[in-house]
C-alpha cells in the first residue's frame, strides 16, 4: 500500500510565531516519518488582503527556511511554493464555477477579515476557501493537519469534492478523493502574551503580544519580562480566572518537554519574579537550535532554491495528474 499522504500550508504573511510553531509546524515534523508530507507556502492566499510585493517574496523564503529550521526534512517532505504551480489557480477557477455563492457567504474567517478590510474587500478574499480546497484536493491527501480555526474551510473542501463527484463522476469512479481533517491537539493553542484570552496572532498590532521564532535572546527575555501576569503568588494550570498563568505554564511545559504534573509541582509555590526568568531561559534554549539552523539556511540561498525547485517538480507531478482528471471529467479536451 502507498504511504498515506499529508498536506498543509501556512500563509507567508509576517513572521512565524510560537503559535504557528507549536500549533502547526512542530506537528508536521512528527508526521513526516509515517506520511508522505506536502507542505507549502500559501502565497496566493497572502494576496487576498493588501500586501507589498517585496515583502511577499522575502516572506516566502523566510517561511521555507523556517520549515527546514524547525525540522522539516526536504529529503522526507516536499516543500513548495503554491504560486509556482499553476494547477492551484486553475483548479480554483473550475471550483469557482461549481460552488454556490451562499456556501462562501457563511465562512467565519471571511466575515472576520472582511470587517477588518472595510471597503476594500476583494473577490479573492471571498474566494479564499475555494483556492484552499484546490490546494488540498490536488494532492488527494489522507489527512490535512490544521488548527481549530481551519475546520470550516476543511468542511467546505469536502463539500466541494462531493459536489464535483456527484455532478461529474460516478460512484464507482469518483473524480476527487474526499480528505479527512486532522484538527491538531488543544494545548497547542498558544495565547497572546498581553492578553491570555486572545490567540497569539500575526495580525496583533502589538509586537509584545507574540514571540517570533527569530526573536534574539535579549528580545525574548524582554517580552517575557513584560508579559501580562497577575497579582497571585503560586502558579497553577486550568484556573479560568488566570488565563495568562495557564498559557505561560503550558508554554513552559511544552518547551521544557516536561509532564504537566511535574510542572504543576515545580511551580506551585513560585512567584512571577522567579518564574519569568525560568521561562525566558527555557525559551532561549528551546529556540537556539532553530535559530541557528534558520540563519544557516537563509545564508545558503542556492540550497534553498534547490529545495524549492525539487519541491515544485514533485508537487507538479501529483497536482498535474489530478487537474487532468478533473478537466477530463468536466468536458475539456487536454
Ligand atoms: P496563520 O498564522 O493563521 O497563517 O496560521 C498558520 C497555522 O498556524 C494554522 O494551522 C493555524 O491553525 C496555526 N496557528 C496560528 N496561530 C496559532 C496559535 N496562536 N496557537 C496555535 N496554533 C496557531
Ligand atoms: N488557510 C490556512 C491558514 O490560514 C492556510 C492554507 C492555505 C492551508 N491552503 C491550505 C492549510 C491548505 C491547509 C491546507 O492557516
Amino acid at each position: 500500500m502507498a504511504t498515506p499522504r499529508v498536506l498543509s500550508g501556512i500563509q507567508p504573511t509576517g513572521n512565524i510565531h510560537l503559535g504557528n510553531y507549536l500549533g502547526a509546524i512542530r506537528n508536521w515534523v512528527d508526521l513526516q516519518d509515517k506520511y508522505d508530507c506536502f507542505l507549502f507556502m500559501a502565497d496566493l492566499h497572502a494576496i487576498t488582503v493588501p500586501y507589498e510585493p517585496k515583502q511577499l517574496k522575502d516572506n516566502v523564503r523566510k517561511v521555507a527556511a523556517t520549515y527546514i529550521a524547525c525540522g522539516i526534512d526536504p529529503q522526507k517532505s516536499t516543500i513548495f511554493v503554491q504560486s509556482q504551480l499553476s494547477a492551484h489557480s486553475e483548479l480554483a477557477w473550475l471550483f469557482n464555477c461549481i460552488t454556490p455563492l451562499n456556501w462562501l457567504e457563511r465562512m467565519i474567517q471571511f466575515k472576520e477579515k472582511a470587517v477588518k478590510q472595510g471597503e476594500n474587500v476583494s473577490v479573492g478574499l471571498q474566494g479564499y476557501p475555494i483556492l484552499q480546497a484546490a490546494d488540498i484536493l490536488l494532492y488527494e491527501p489522507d489527512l490535512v493537519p490544521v488548527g481549530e480555526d481551519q475546520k470550516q474551510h476543511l468542511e467546505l473542501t469536502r463539500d466541494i469534492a462531493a459536489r464535483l463527484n456527484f455532478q461529474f463522476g460516478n460512484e464507482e469512479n469518483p473524480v476527487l478523493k474526499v480528505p479527512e481533517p486532522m484538527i491538531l491537539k488543544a494545548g497547542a493553542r498558544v495565547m497572546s502574551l498581553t492578553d491570555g484570552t486572545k490567540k497569539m496572532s500575526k495580525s496583533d498590532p502589538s509586537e509584545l503580544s507574540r514571540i517570533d521564532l527569530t526573536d534574539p535572546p535579549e528580545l525574548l527575555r524582554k517580552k517575557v519580562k513584560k508579559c501580562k501576569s497577575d497579582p497571585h503568588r503560586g502558579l497553577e494550570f486550568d484556573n479560568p480566572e488566570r488565563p495568562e498563568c495557564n498559557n505561560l505554564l503550558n508554554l513552559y511545559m511544552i518547551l521544557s518537554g516536561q509532564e504537566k504534573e511535574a510542572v504543576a509541582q515545580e511551580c506551585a509555590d513560585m512567584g512571577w519574579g522567579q518564574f519569568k526568568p525560568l521561562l525566558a531561559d527555557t525559551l532561549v534554549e528551546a529556540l537556539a537550535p532553530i535559530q541557528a539552523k534558520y540563519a544557516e539556511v537563509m545564508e545558503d540561498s542556492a540550497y534553498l532554491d534547490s529545495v524549492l525547485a525539487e519541491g515544485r517538480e514533485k508537487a507538479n507531478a501529483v497536482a498535474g495528474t489530478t487537474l487532468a482528471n478533473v478537466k477530463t471529467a468536466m468536458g475539456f479536451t487536454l
Side-chain angles (χ1 to χ4, degrees):
M1 229 178 71
T3 316
R5 192 176 290 150
V6 158
L7 172 119
S8 198
I10 292 187
Q11 291 185 75
T13 45
N15 292 335
I16 298 290
H17 56 69
L18 204 54
N20 298 134
Y21 174 57
L22 299 177
I25 304 174
R26 190 180 58 132
N27 299 286
W28 305 345
V29 175
D30 298 332
L31 291 170
Q32 53 181 350
D33 290 320
K34 285 204 215 106
Y35 295 89
D36 185 14
C37 292
F38 284 73
L39 305 168
F40 68 100
M41 280 60 74
D43 55 348
L44 294 171
H45 279 107
I47 68 165
T48 54
V49 294
Y51 74 101
E52 282 291 329
K54 169 79 173 74
Q55 266 178 13
L56 180 68
K57 195 182 242 173
D58 289 347
N59 283 341
V60 168
R61 297 183 75 81
K62 284 183 183 171
V63 174
T66 305
Y67 285 179
I68 298 170
C70 290
I72 303 297
D73 179 352
Q75 304 285 341
K76 295 182 190 162
S77 296
T78 303
I79 303 174
F80 66 98
V81 185
Q82 181 191 35
S83 64
Q84 292 185 346
L85 290 119
S86 57
H88 291 246
S89 311
E90 194 173 349
L91 187 60
W93 176 257
L94 302 178
F95 287 171
N96 272 332
C97 299
I98 64 153
T99 307
L101 191 53
N102 65 29
W103 287 10
L104 295 176
E105 286 163 349
R106 293 201 295 262
M107 294 290 121
I108 299 161
Q109 191 174 297
F110 170 71
K111 290 190 214 166
E112 286 173 358
K113 288 193 180 176
V115 172
K116 284 194 202 153
Q117 296 304 316
E119 295 282 284
N120 201 2
V121 178
S122 66
V123 175
L125 188 62
Q126 179 103 65
Y128 180 116
I130 297 212
L131 179 59
Q132 183 163 351
D135 297 339
I136 295 171
L137 296 170
L138 277 174
Y139 297 88
E140 308 200 296
D142 295 273
L143 293 175
V144 183
V146 282
E148 182 70 34
D149 56 339
Q150 294 300 311
K151 213 168 149 183
Q152 200 186 25
H153 288 163
L154 293 197
E155 274 155 20
L156 183 88
T157 300
R158 289 167 55 86
D159 289 345
I160 291 176
R163 190 173 172 93
L164 191 131
N165 286 339
F166 177 75
Q167 288 187 355
F168 301 107
N170 55 58
E171 251 165 64
E172 299 83 68
N173 231 341
V175 188
L176 290 168
K177 173 165 162 175
V178 184
E180 293 299 323
M182 175 184 199
I183 303 299
L184 298 166
K185 284 181 256 125
R189 196 172 149 82
V190 178
M191 310 310 279
S192 155
L193 295 187
T194 46
D195 177 352
T197 62
K198 269 186 7 199
K199 222 176 77 154
M200 185 177 286
S201 155
K202 285 176 195 159
S203 57
D204 193 313
S206 167
E207 289 286 331
L208 290 177
S209 71
R210 69 185 152 257
I211 303 270
D212 289 336
L213 290 191
T214 49
D215 284 345
E218 322 80 74
L219 187 57
L220 291 172
R221 291 185 201 283
K222 177 174 153 199
K223 286 183 174 176
V224 172
K225 198 166 176 187
K226 295 215 161 171
C227 76
K228 189 169 173 202
S229 59
D230 59 31
H232 305 286
R233 212 195 142 70
L235 304 178
E236 56 188 332
F237 282 104
D238 302 322
N239 181 343
E241 312 271 292
R242 305 182 68 189
E244 286 80 20
C245 180
N246 186 58
N247 185 43
L248 297 175
L249 275 186
N250 264 314
L251 287 182
Y252 175 59
M253 173 185 82
I254 300 173
L255 295 168
S256 67
Q258 297 186 76
E259 297 294 327
K260 191 166 174 176
E261 258 314 291
V263 169
Q265 268 192 12
E266 183 189 357
C267 304
D269 300 317
M270 266 186 205
W272 288 105
Q274 194 183 352
F275 177 72
K276 281 189 172 183
L278 175 66
L279 176 62
D281 286 341
T282 309
L283 195 56
V284 169
E285 201 178 311
L287 296 190
I290 295 177
Q291 297 184 342
K293 181 81 188 166
Y294 177 81
E296 195 184 299
V297 177
M298 285 301 280
E299 291 255 303
D300 193 348
S301 62
Y303 169 69
L304 198 52
D305 288 342
S306 75
V307 168
L308 296 178
E310 202 177 306
R312 173 186 194 163
E313 205 170 303
K314 282 205 271 178
N316 209 13
V318 180
T321 307
T322 311
L323 180 64
N325 290 341
V326 173
K327 287 179 78 172
T328 305
M330 287 179 76
F332 294 97
T333 306
L334 296 179

